[in-house]
Amino acid sequence: MTGITVLAGGVGGARFTRGLLAHLAAEHPSAGGEASTVPVTVVVNTGDDMWLTGLRICPDLDTVMYTLGGGISEEQGWGRADETRRTSGEIAAYGAGWDWFTLGDLDLGTHIVRTDLLRSGRTLSEATEVLAQRWRPGARLLPMSDDPVETHVRLAADIDEHRAGDLIHFEEWWVRYRAAAAASEFVQVGLEQAQAAPGVLEAIRDADVVIIPPSNPVVSVGTILAVPGVRAALRDTDARVVGVSPIIGGSVVRGMADRCLDIVGVESTALGVGRYYGSRADGGILDAWLVDETDAGLIPDLEAAGIRASAHPLWMHDVPATAAIAAHALRAARATHPIALDRPTVQNIGGTL
Ligand code: GDP
Ligand code: CA
């Protein structure tokens, strides 16, 4: 078995992957029993990345790395546990930085090391590998691209010092304006010239299963899909592609992803997002789509749109509940592709996903 590839944003993608790794460790334990024998690659959105006070900040990569490495603040879902804010206070005392984006002291350590690596000529993939040596996330973390890509938001009305029509960084719109400032479109600056980072397209093409976790469909998954070559790799791969709905009962569970869906004209339901991704048979990306059990009534409409769907509890309350979701996703993959996943291999003797 060549492995599983997850296309992730921040909090939703990170939590899902943690559950996936727990499921695999239980089902396919390595000799020591701690990890699994199934390789997992996480391709992470870098469209939220930005420069702040001279440092390169990669919010989704850090959320995934801290979550899988055990350093995440569980209450926030992002940032470090046991964090302090003394350095931000000092930066603010100089009238510098952005008061709406706080960088914790421990988190700053990550940004300083990353920025130092980038300035010494390493790529973001290489810098990520160095950071991951400390956190041992149990999965290979790949930025979607080593080229800088930034999602910007076009404002539809004046707000503060910004005029209608201006482009502002997605994080400013999301964090400073809580996604409430009227906006007309997302513009992914740098994306057309960007190349997928080394290993990304291969990780999609060579996987047994590709999972679209419950991440923001527009600015996390949508940005990864827009990296040149990614959609073609998803079209050509022999892997089954399984998505997990980030919308439960018409609500986004956590956060404000519905604001992003509004802007691209997609209704915030498991049906709307399922159709937005589309069936692979019709030029979309999904072979199978998991919706929450409360959304089981949407399955006939999804199937009418050519999307094979099944209903399961999709709340990622804790690691065991999330591991169960991952198990359903792998079962859904197997249901659409019995041959490749059931073949015994050296690493996966007689087992099934
Ligand atoms: P971000 O980069 O931190 O915004 O994180 P993601 O791109 O991974 O997307 C977060 C999305 O995950 C949220 O907008 C929710 O729609 C979804 N989500 C969060 N918690 C849950 C959960 O428990 N279950 C499901 N199904 N979706 C969730
Ligand atoms: Ca994000």
Side-chain angles (χ1 to χ4, degrees), residues 172-245:
E172 182 172 11
W173 182 71
W174 189 252
V175 179
R176 182 177 184 185
Y177 299 120
R178 312 297 306 156
S184 58
E185 63 169 340
F186 296 103
V187 177
Q188 279 134 341
V189 179
L191 196 64
E192 278 167 27
Q193 304 80 41
Q195 288 187 350
V200 166
L201 300 180
E202 294 79 357
I204 295 170
R205 278 201 218 103
D206 300 343
D208 293 307
V209 180
V210 175
I211 304 183
I212 313 294
S215 279
N216 188 311
V218 183
V219 294
S220 295
V221 177
T223 306
I224 300 173
L225 294 177
V227 173
V230 167
R231 273 188 182 270
L234 282 167
R235 187 186 61 226
D236 297 343
T237 182
D238 287 335
R240 297 297 92 180
V241 183
V242 183
V244 181
S245 176

Side-chain angles (χ1 to χ4, degrees), residues 152-155 162-163 165-169 185-187 189:
H152 289 198
V153 182
R154 192 176 303 283
L155 294 176
H162 304 298
R163 303 276 76 89
D166 283 355
L167 286 172
I168 62 171
H169 193 287
E185 63 169 340
F186 296 103
V187 177
V189 179

Side-chain angles (χ1 to χ4, degrees), residues 274-353:
R275 283 198 190 125
Y276 179 57
Y277 286 152
S279 160
R280 234 172 126 208
D282 283 339
I285 61 166
L286 297 175
D287 292 310
W289 182 232
L290 269 55
V291 303
D292 187 72
E293 50 193 0
T294 59
D295 290 319
L298 300 174
I299 290 178
D301 284 346
L302 283 160
E303 304 226 316
I307 298 163
R308 184 194 291 251
S310 57
H312 314 275
L314 293 190
W315 279 88
M316 298 188 286
H317 289 300
D318 51 24
V319 174
T322 312
I325 299 171
H328 286 302
L330 295 175
R331 243 173 259 132
R334 198 170 66 231
T336 61
H337 199 278
I339 301 156
L341 284 173
D342 282 342
R343 74 177 184 262
T345 66
V346 175
Q347 290 182 319
N348 180 21
I349 298 164
T352 55
L353 287 173

Side-chain angles (χ1 to χ4, degrees), residues 42-46 61 124-125 128 141-146 196-198 200:
V42 192
V43 175
V44 183
N45 170 46
T46 56
L61 274 170
L124 181 59
S125 308
T128 301
L141 305 188
L142 297 180
M144 66 183 197
S145 177
D146 283 336
V200 166

